[in-house]
Amino acid sequence: MFKNIIVRRPAKSICDGITSAPELGKPIYEKAIQQHDDYIAALKKCGCEVKVLEALEEFPDSCFVEDTAVLTPNVAIISRPGAESRRNETEYMIPTIKEFYPEDKIEYIKAPGTMEGGDVMMVGNHFYIGKSDRTNEEGCRQFIEILEKYGHTGSIVTLEEMLHLKTGVNYLENNNLLVSGEFLTKEEFKKYNQYEIPVGEDYAANCIWVNDKVIVPEGYPKVKEMVESMGYEVITVDTSEYRKIDGGLSCLSLRFSSLK
């Protein structure tokens, strides 16, 4: 169960965020703010305390706080983003992490390693880390080494197509896994109850489980129905402005329970 959530307000510079889909157009700041308000409201409905950080204008992608750290039950791991334009975002996140974790329970991914939290999926005490364009082999090695030091386990999943691991696979507790694209054939995920994302709704593979509720992107009725069929209470939130810069529901928050 999660007690705490950290989010960061989108900056007006969000229209300059990194994108692999320029055909979707640039985000509209006013709409992004409204969607962020709705996102925060949904998280609060899940029974969490939400800490809202102010926008960082110099970092257009900084609302995607998930990439700056992985917050486990035993240790906080500060990432080193693979996107160079985002690398210094972590410096602005560390003071906030220190409010929730003691200094001796904070570790750091160091050069030449790169790691982004969007490539990390927690399943109980085990963490899958995607080796991707943003998370390199050295970053994976350091991450797993840190996990094992604090009583967790980790394993590497190699990505051939998707930006981040959680772009296409997300764990919803109770052994249930939302799966799309290249992850449908990954041996690592064969042991789970796999729910294949319907064709045309691939973006909605990125749902988030928060304290027995599941937040699903708005506008993907087949995925919503599928998640409801698993027995979860579903909350929908429109993230269309964030999709324009390769962001989804999980990217917008750090979800954890404090060690302090």
Side-chain angles (χ1 to χ4, degrees):
M1 303 292 280
F2 300 124
K3 295 178 182 177
N4 307 100
I5 294 180
I6 300 170
V7 302
R8 185 180 294 283
R9 296 299 266 170
K12 291 180 180 177
S13 59
I14 191 172
C15 61
D16 298 319
I18 302 168
T19 183
S20 62
E23 68 277 6
L24 296 177
K26 291 181 178 291
I28 299 169
Y29 173 70
E30 291 76 14
K31 287 186 178 180
I33 284 289
Q34 182 57 60
Q35 290 178 5
H36 204 253
D37 287 341
D38 295 342
Y39 182 74
I40 292 169
L43 294 171
K44 288 180 177 178
K45 284 182 183 177
C46 298
C48 296
E49 292 289 328
V50 182
K51 185 174 181 67
V52 182
L53 305 181
E54 63 184 39
L56 295 173
E57 288 296 337
E58 62 268 48
F59 298 106
D61 298 284
S62 56
C63 56
F64 300 134
V65 291
E66 181 180 57
D67 290 323
T68 63
V70 175
L71 305 181
T72 85
N74 300 331
V75 60
I77 304 173
I78 307 300
S79 72
R80 186 170 179 268
E84 196 165 345
S85 64
R86 302 193 61 193
R87 197 151 291 165
N88 291 334
E89 288 179 28
T90 56
E91 295 178 16
Y92 294 88
M93 182 57 71
I94 292 168
T96 301
I97 301 301
K98 289 181 177 178
E99 295 177 20
F100 297 96
Y101 286 79
E103 293 267 7
D104 63 347
K105 293 293 192 300
I106 301 176
E107 300 277 354
Y108 300 83
I109 300 297
K110 299 173 182 176
T114 62
M115 185 270 280
E116 295 189 0
D119 276 320
V120 176
M121 182 175 71
M122 179 177 73
V123 179
N125 195 49
H126 187 79
F127 291 77
Y128 293 97
I129 180 166
K131 188 174 72 143
S132 68
D133 288 341
R134 300 288 185 85
T135 299
N136 65 16
E137 188 167 352
E138 174 60 16
C140 293
R141 185 197 68 76
Q142 290 182 33
F143 181 71
I144 292 172
E145 185 178 85
I146 293 168
L147 288 174
E148 292 176 346
K149 178 180 173 182
Y150 290 88
H152 298 300
T153 58
S155 59
I156 298 173
V157 180
T158 301
L159 278 61
E160 287 90 22
E161 299 168 12
M162 295 197 181
L163 174 66
H164 282 140
L165 182 71
K166 286 194 295 236
T167 302
V169 59
N170 286 271
Y171 186 63
L172 300 184
E173 303 298 315
N174 305 319
N175 211 49
N176 295 326
L177 200 68
L178 296 178
V179 188
S180 69
E182 64 181 292
F183 301 111
L184 288 164
T185 56
K186 296 286 187 187
E187 285 298 320
E188 296 93 330
F189 303 131
K190 294 293 186 184
K191 61 184 177 182
Y192 298 104
N193 301 323
Q194 291 193 11
Y195 290 84
E196 184 176 350
I197 298 297
V199 174
E201 296 199 1
D202 304 80
Y203 175 75
N206 186 245
C207 298
I208 52 174
W209 177 94
V210 185
N211 300 343
D212 293 328
K213 295 179 175 61
V214 176
I215 304 178
V216 175
E218 188 175 288
Y220 302 90
K222 293 178 182 177
V223 172
K224 179 178 182 288
E225 183 180 354
M226 183 168 64
V227 174
E228 287 174 334
S229 75
M230 299 180 211
Y232 298 107
E233 179 183 342
V234 168
I235 302 172
T236 59
V237 175
D238 187 359
T239 53
S240 56
E241 295 308 302
Y242 299 94
R243 184 185 181 187
K244 294 174 181 178
I245 51 171
D246 299 340
L249 283 166
S250 73
C251 311
L252 289 163
S253 62
L254 288 165
R255 305 163 299 281
F256 63 103
S257 292
S258 174
L259 283 185
K260 285 190 175 181

